[in-house]
Amino acid sequence: MMMKKSILALAAFAFMAWGCSSDGDGTSTPPTPTPTDISAGTDVRPTWQSPNYDLYEQTMIVEVQLQDELAKYASEQDLICATIGNEVRGVAEAQQIEDQWLFSLVIGSNDVGVNVGLSYYCDKLHRIFTIQWTRFDATVTPTGQGGIYQPDFVK
């Protein structure tokens, strides 16, 4: 444990020293932004429950593919949860199909065009990643390409 702290302290010092260097003309170049932290956390597995879809006039069905940056941490214990407001409107468990991790997500709503949030729980990292995802649209195709089918939880 002490060695890990020493390595982290050394890495932080090296980063600070590099960030303070100049190119000789008196100006400094800001460091390139790094991707969102993918380190382990302390989140416990959520108890998200699928809603009663009979309470909603419409459903939106989307097969969500886990983005490449998170796929190496995926497991069958992972979950995805769709929310509208602060209310759970859909929950799906991870399924590995060949080399991809997919979540077959059904989302219920009475209103078209409302914002849908998406939370991903990664069991191996003990982390919940949450994004503002898309707008509710019952006419969207279940599978396809692009942002709603492979959302960016980390950038």
Side-chain angles (χ1 to χ4, degrees), residues 5 17 31 47 51 53 58-59 65 69 76-77 84-85 89 102-103 107 113 120 122 129 131 133 140 146:
K5 287 182 181 179
T47 57
Y53 295 106
Q58 302 175 58
T59 56
Q65 179 183 350
E69 292 83 352
E76 291 179 352
Q77 298 302 311
I84 296 177
R89 297 296 184 93
L102 303 172
F103 300 83
I107 306 155
Y120 164 62
C122 179
F129 299 88
I131 59 170
W133 181 42
V140 73

Side-chain angles (χ1 to χ4, degrees), residues 11 35 50 70 75 94 96 135-136 146:
S50 291
L70 291 172
S75 75
Q96 187 173 18
R135 294 193 177 272
F136 183 87

Side-chain angles (χ1 to χ4, degrees), residues 51-61 84 87 89 106-114 136-139:
N52 178 352
Y53 295 106
D54 292 334
L55 300 175
Y56 302 105
E57 295 173 8
Q58 302 175 58
T59 56
M60 176 177 164
I61 302 170
I84 296 177
E87 188 177 323
R89 297 296 184 93
V106 178
I107 306 155
S109 181
N110 292 324
D111 301 306
V112 175
V114 294
F136 183 87
D137 181 357
T139 65

Side-chain angles (χ1 to χ4, degrees), residues 1 27 36 49 52 63 69 78 102 104 115 120 128 134 143:
M1 184 68 161
T27 61
T36 300
Q49 297 293 313
N52 178 352
E63 189 169 272
E69 292 83 352
D78 294 0
L102 303 172
S104 297
N115 289 327
Y120 164 62
I128 298 173
T134 191
T143 60

Side-chain angles (χ1 to χ4, degrees), residues 6-139:
S6 297
I7 291 171
L8 287 173
L10 183 60
F13 177 76
F15 180 76
M16 286 189 310
W18 172 77
C20 293
S21 67
S22 67
D23 57 7
D25 66 358
T27 61
S28 63
T29 305
T32 305
T34 56
T36 300
D37 181 24
I38 304 182
S39 62
T42 59
D43 295 327
V44 296
R45 190 172 197 266
T47 57
W48 296 321
Q49 297 293 313
S50 291
N52 178 352
Y53 295 106
D54 292 334
L55 300 175
Y56 302 105
E57 295 173 8
Q58 302 175 58
T59 56
M60 176 177 164
I61 302 170
V62 179
E63 189 169 272
V64 177
Q65 179 183 350
L66 196 57
Q67 75 182 101
D68 297 339
E69 292 83 352
L70 291 172
K72 61 185 168 187
Y73 303 105
S75 75
E76 291 179 352
Q77 298 302 311
D78 294 0
L79 295 171
I80 277 193
C81 173
T83 57
I84 296 177
N86 290 322
E87 188 177 323
V88 173
R89 297 296 184 93
V91 176
E93 295 180 346
Q95 302 171 3
Q96 187 173 18
I97 300 175
E98 295 177 15
D99 63 342
Q100 295 181 355
W101 287 93
L102 303 172
F103 300 83
S104 297
L105 186 60
V106 178
I107 306 155
S109 181
N110 292 324
D111 301 306
V112 175
V114 294
N115 289 327
V116 180
L118 195 65
S119 295
Y120 164 62
Y121 171 72
C122 179
D123 189 64
K124 286 184 181 176
L125 293 174
H126 301 288
R127 292 272 309 271
I128 298 173
F129 299 88
T130 301
I131 59 170
Q132 199 51 23
W133 181 42
T134 191
R135 294 193 177 272
F136 183 87
D137 181 357
T139 65

